[in-house]
Amino acid sequence: MLSYRHIYHAGNHADILKHIVVSEICHHLTQKDSPFFYLDTHAGIGQYALDSEQAQKNKEFHSGISQLLELPNPPTAIVRLLDIVKTMNDSLDNKNNVQWYPGSPKVVDAYLRNKDKMYLCELHPNDYPILADLFHRDRQVTVEKRNGFQAVKALLPPPQKRGLILMDPPYEVKQDYDTVVQTLVEGHRRFAQGIYAIWFPILSRQQADNLANSVQQTRICNVLLLELSIRDDDAQGGMNGSGMIVVNPPWTLKQNAEEFLPVLTAHLADKNSNEAHFQIRWITPE
Ligand SMILES: C[S@@+](CC[C@H](N)C(=O)[O-])C[C@H]1O[C@@H](n2cnc3c(N)ncnc32)[C@H](O)[C@@H]1O
């Protein structure tokens, strides 16, 4: 089943959390000279036109990226994502209208040096050619129409010996919750020192806790959980928030999250709710 199209959701609160975390990890990886490898198991189309008919349908970016452009003194992690967005939009008009919003491949591309490698998987028959076209001149970037979960088994460990694996499935099928954990275990067995980032939606407290508990049961150490809820976790009718599970996080990530998550919670909260909140905790210690 491949009915999910990310463009309808581009730039929303969940993208903001995910892309700040990805950006912070890449910032950390580029602090060392040695090259890194990036695997995006579910890459989407790479960048999103927010003036497209699809993005305009629900205008989810209005309560996401649009809110951040107004912030007077954002924390550094938010500034780093905003800088990427600003670079993609030659000039923002005086109402800060963003035309282009980066997907995870474009966030990472902003950090990629000549020696680094990026490997992108996208299965959707319409989305794959758009992504392949976006990076067709980039020799450091490989774009494949393949199952991203299987790519983890096939490509790890990478020759670079350091890197980030982002798993961002659409969870259209419930099976994705199990597959993402099984794939983490298989990836970690092959490449224990890699950084793994798993995005997940918060549809209810129980469903989000079940995923964190499954990761805890793998006994993989050094796993950080970051969550941003824009309303009560158990509110009816849609995605109430999202989270990132990060294995082997950069030592700076928790400290940075303590700065950026309160700001995101205050500014991306559902205006009809006063139940927005965040969570930062170790699923398993180092
Ligand atoms: C949430 S979107 C990805 C968004 C992207 N990571 C970003 O942050 O910009 C999930 C994508 O995975 C694709 N997809 C679904 N199942 C897949 C699979 N097994 N392997 C690779 N791509 C898949 C979907 O077509 C969709 O474009």
Side-chain angles (χ1 to χ4, degrees):
M1 182 162 75
L2 278 170
S3 54
Y4 180 91
R5 309 299 299 280
H6 193 67
I7 192 161
Y8 289 95
H9 312 288
N12 69 5
H13 60 92
D15 260 5
I16 299 296
L17 172 64
K18 171 178 55 186
H19 294 150
I20 288 178
V21 171
V22 167
S23 159
E24 287 308 286
I25 295 170
C26 290
H27 175 75
H28 165 82
L29 285 168
T30 54
Q31 299 308 294
K32 275 196 184 160
D33 264 354
S34 47
F36 74 88
F37 173 76
Y38 172 68
L39 170 59
D40 200 325
T41 59
H42 298 71
I45 60 173
Q47 62 183 10
Y48 297 89
L50 298 184
D51 56 2
S52 62
E53 198 184 319
Q54 297 100 317
Q56 288 287 328
K57 185 156 184 239
N58 295 319
K59 297 188 169 61
E60 292 193 17
F61 60 90
H62 273 187
S63 49
I65 185 62
S66 305
Q67 301 298 319
L68 297 186
L69 291 160
E70 310 286 335
L71 291 182
N73 280 311
T76 318
I78 298 180
V79 171
R80 283 198 263 264
L81 179 65
L82 289 178
D83 283 347
I84 296 170
V85 175
K86 286 174 185 164
T87 306
M88 292 174 70
N89 292 273
D90 290 342
S91 56
L92 290 177
D93 63 21
N94 55 10
K95 289 188 184 146
N96 270 338
N97 281 323
V98 178
Q99 190 197 353
W100 290 101
Y101 180 77
S104 46
K106 272 298 227 186
V107 171
V108 177
D109 190 42
Y111 290 95
L112 218 63
R113 303 159 300 181
N114 286 337
K115 53 193 163 190
D116 304 320
K117 289 271 181 283
M118 172 151 84
Y119 195 103
L120 309 173
C121 302
E122 174 52 51
L123 260 189
H124 197 286
N126 298 344
D127 286 354
Y128 163 74
I130 300 173
L131 182 68
D133 189 52
L134 183 64
F135 289 104
H136 79 280
R137 285 177 202 275
D138 267 297
R139 291 177 54 213
Q140 300 148 267
V141 184
T142 305
V143 183
E144 293 253 22
K145 186 168 181 285
R146 71 184 290 183
N147 185 323
F149 290 128
Q150 288 169 6
V152 170
K153 292 181 227 167
L155 298 175
L156 300 186
Q160 295 81 0
K161 302 278 188 274
R162 55 197 297 266
L164 166 64
I165 294 91
L166 173 66
M167 291 193 243
D168 183 20
Y171 300 95
E172 275 181 300
V173 286
K174 284 217 168 83
Q175 183 64 29
D176 277 353
Y177 289 97
D178 291 335
T179 312
V180 84
V181 177
Q182 285 157 10
T183 308
L184 170 65
V185 170
E186 280 158 4
H188 190 264
R189 197 181 304 135
R190 290 168 166 79
F191 180 38
Q193 71 273 38
I195 302 172
Y196 296 80
I198 298 173
W199 178 88
F200 63 93
I202 300 175
L203 308 172
S204 73
R205 191 63 258 154
Q206 186 65 55
Q207 156 270 333
D209 286 348
N210 287 348
L211 180 63
N213 291 342
S214 302
V215 171
Q216 188 177 32
Q217 282 160 16
T218 66
R219 296 172 179 266
I220 292 173
C221 296
N222 199 14
V223 187
L224 183 67
L225 173 81
L226 305 178
E227 287 186 358
L228 167 65
S229 298
I230 60 161
R231 60 180 84 92
D232 183 276
D233 292 334
D234 290 316
Q236 294 299 307
M239 184 168 66
N240 299 317
S242 68
M244 291 291 279
I245 291 171
V246 187
V247 177
N248 297 328
W251 64 273
T252 44
L253 185 62
K254 180 170 181 286
Q255 200 180 314
N256 289 352
E258 279 158 5
E259 289 181 10
F260 71 72
L261 270 173
V263 176
L264 295 184
T265 306
H267 292 273
L268 305 187
D270 180 341
K271 303 279 183 276
N272 300 313
S273 162
N274 54 8
E275 305 275 344
H277 58 282
F278 67 89
Q279 186 177 186
I280 303 171
R281 75 175 166 90
W282 291 102
I283 294 180
T284 55
E286 265 182 277

